[in-house]
């Protein structure tokens, strides 16, 4: 069964297959970049699990994109494409919000393109169910409509979708991922900027930033929702119940605080408690592991 993750990591695990879900569970972390010039935060949710073999590709127009995708699909058997949720009929963002959304091309013939989207989530705008179907050329073109300019938080999300910073190509083009013939074996990832990696530092920083800046909280609820899903996947089928509950409650607390702030009644205390609880439980688990 496909684990409940973000749209990026759900599609990545489905694409890689085999033990990819287990590799992801072992690779999960929560890191945050603190020095973006636009004030937005950037998050890394996990180490790369693709061996560094995936890279971004793009074409400026549909005819060249269609030809490239057909050739790549024939060569590799499946392709991760970057769709536009505004134009995906199965997405709750359909007709509402233009944001990148990964899904899979599985086959192509005279009937059209076989697509699969394993992502399943209940979001404030509605529920997305897994989707599989056939799209004709024009439907796939619409589904992959370039998203254009991205707000900083969404741009950072796309840049770090594979776990580490990867150039995403022009967002005004049709985009997808392909396997590279020269993976960066032995080359360390480039991490520009200042990153916090220690969980206690991350939780304290996020608590302080998100309680003092309501707009920042609004922009990054989706990032912390994704963190919750990744962390619950890391904890596995028999998690520590208190820690699992703390991660489950985090996005709910952030959403409640954001909704309250919009009504003119800030509830920063729920955000403080959510992050302080995670810090306390995470520290307790580290001490327990060290003693054992």
């Amino acid at each position: 069964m496909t684990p409940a993750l973000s749209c990026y990591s759900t599609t990545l695990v489905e694409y890689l297959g085999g033990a990819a879900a287990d590799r992801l569970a072992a690779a999960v972390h929560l890191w945050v970049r603190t020095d973006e010039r636009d004030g937005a935060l950037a998050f890394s949710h996990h180490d790369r699990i693709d061996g560094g073999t995936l890279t971004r590709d793009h074409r400026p127009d549909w005819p060249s994109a269609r030809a490239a995708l057909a050739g790549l699909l024939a060569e590799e058997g499946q392709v991760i494409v970057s769709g536009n949720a505004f134009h995906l009929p199965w997405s709750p963002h359909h007709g509402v919000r233009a944001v990148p959304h990964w899904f899979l091309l599985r086959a192509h013939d005279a009937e059209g393109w076989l697509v699969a989207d394993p992502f399943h989530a209940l979001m404030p705008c509605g529920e997305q169910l897994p989707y599989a179907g056939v799209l004709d050329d024009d439907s796939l073109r619409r589904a992959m409509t370039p998203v254009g300019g991205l707000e900083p938080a969404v741009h950072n999300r796309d840049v770090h979708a594979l776990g580490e910073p990867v150039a995403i190509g022009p967002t005004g083009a049709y985009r997808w991922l392909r396997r590279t013939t020269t993976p960066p074996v032995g080359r360390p990832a480039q991490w520009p900027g200042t990153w916090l990696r220690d969980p206690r530092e991350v939780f304290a920083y996020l608590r302080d930033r998100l309680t003092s800046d309501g707009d920042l909280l609004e922009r990054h609820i989706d990032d912390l929702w994704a963190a919750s899903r990744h962390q619950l996947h890391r904890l596995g089928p028999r998690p520590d119940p208190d820690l699992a509950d703390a991660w489950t409650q985090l996005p709910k607390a952030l959403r409640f605080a954001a909704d309250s702030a919009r009504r003119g009644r800030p509830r920063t205390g729920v955000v403080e408690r959510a992050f302080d609880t995670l810090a306390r439980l995470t520290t307790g688990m580290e001490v327990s592991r060290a003693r054992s």
Side-chain angles (χ1 to χ4, degrees), residues 15 55 57 59 65-81 105 113 176-180:
Y15 173 86
T55 188
D57 203 352
R59 295 293 185 277
R66 182 192 181 283
L69 287 169
L72 192 60
L73 191 56
E75 178 183 339
E76 298 190 355
Q78 59 178 346
V79 180
I80 297 175
V81 298
L105 299 184
W113 305 80
W176 58 88
L177 284 80
R178 61 173 175 81
R179 292 189 184 275
T180 179

Side-chain angles (χ1 to χ4, degrees), residues 215-269:
D215 290 338
L216 194 71
L217 171 62
E218 285 272 9
R219 294 201 299 270
H220 291 292
I221 288 176
D222 287 347
D223 293 294
L224 275 306
W225 173 85
S228 170
R229 286 197 141 201
H230 287 108
Q231 293 291 333
L232 289 169
H233 178 62
R234 177 182 67 85
L235 293 175
R238 292 182 294 277
D240 174 88
D242 291 334
L243 188 56
D245 182 66
W247 278 114
T248 299
Q249 295 304 319
L250 175 65
K252 298 178 182 179
L254 300 183
R255 179 65 62 187
F256 173 78
D259 291 344
S260 298
R262 280 197 300 273
R263 294 193 296 267
R265 303 183 65 184
R267 295 287 191 271
T268 57

Side-chain angles (χ1 to χ4, degrees), residues 121-225:
L122 181 61
M123 297 175 283
C125 54
E127 183 178 17
Q128 171 152 339
L129 297 172
Y131 174 82
V134 176
L135 301 181
D136 60 25
D137 278 358
D138 194 52
S139 296
L140 181 62
R141 177 190 60 78
R142 284 198 304 273
M144 293 183 62
T145 299
V147 290
L150 296 175
E151 60 185 74
V154 178
H155 178 270
N156 292 341
R157 207 170 293 151
D158 211 46
V159 167
H160 298 88
L162 289 170
E164 66 186 37
V166 175
I168 63 174
T171 55
Y174 297 92
R175 300 184 299 143
W176 58 88
L177 284 80
R178 61 173 175 81
R179 292 189 184 275
T180 179
T181 55
T182 56
V185 178
R187 260 197 346 245
Q190 299 299 307
W191 290 88
T194 301
W195 288 80
L196 297 179
R197 292 175 169 84
D198 179 272
R200 290 159 296 189
E201 293 180 357
V202 170
F203 296 141
Y205 177 80
L206 291 175
R207 177 198 62 207
D208 294 344
R209 286 295 308 274
L210 299 182
T211 53
S212 63
D213 189 335
D215 290 338
L216 194 71
L217 171 62
E218 285 272 9
R219 294 201 299 270
H220 291 292
I221 288 176
D222 287 347
D223 293 294
L224 275 306
W225 173 85

Side-chain angles (χ1 to χ4, degrees), residues 4-26:
L5 302 165
S6 72
C7 88
Y8 294 121
S9 50
T10 298
T11 303
L12 180 62
V13 164
E14 185 77 10
Y15 173 86
L16 294 173
D22 293 336
R23 294 202 306 276
L24 181 67

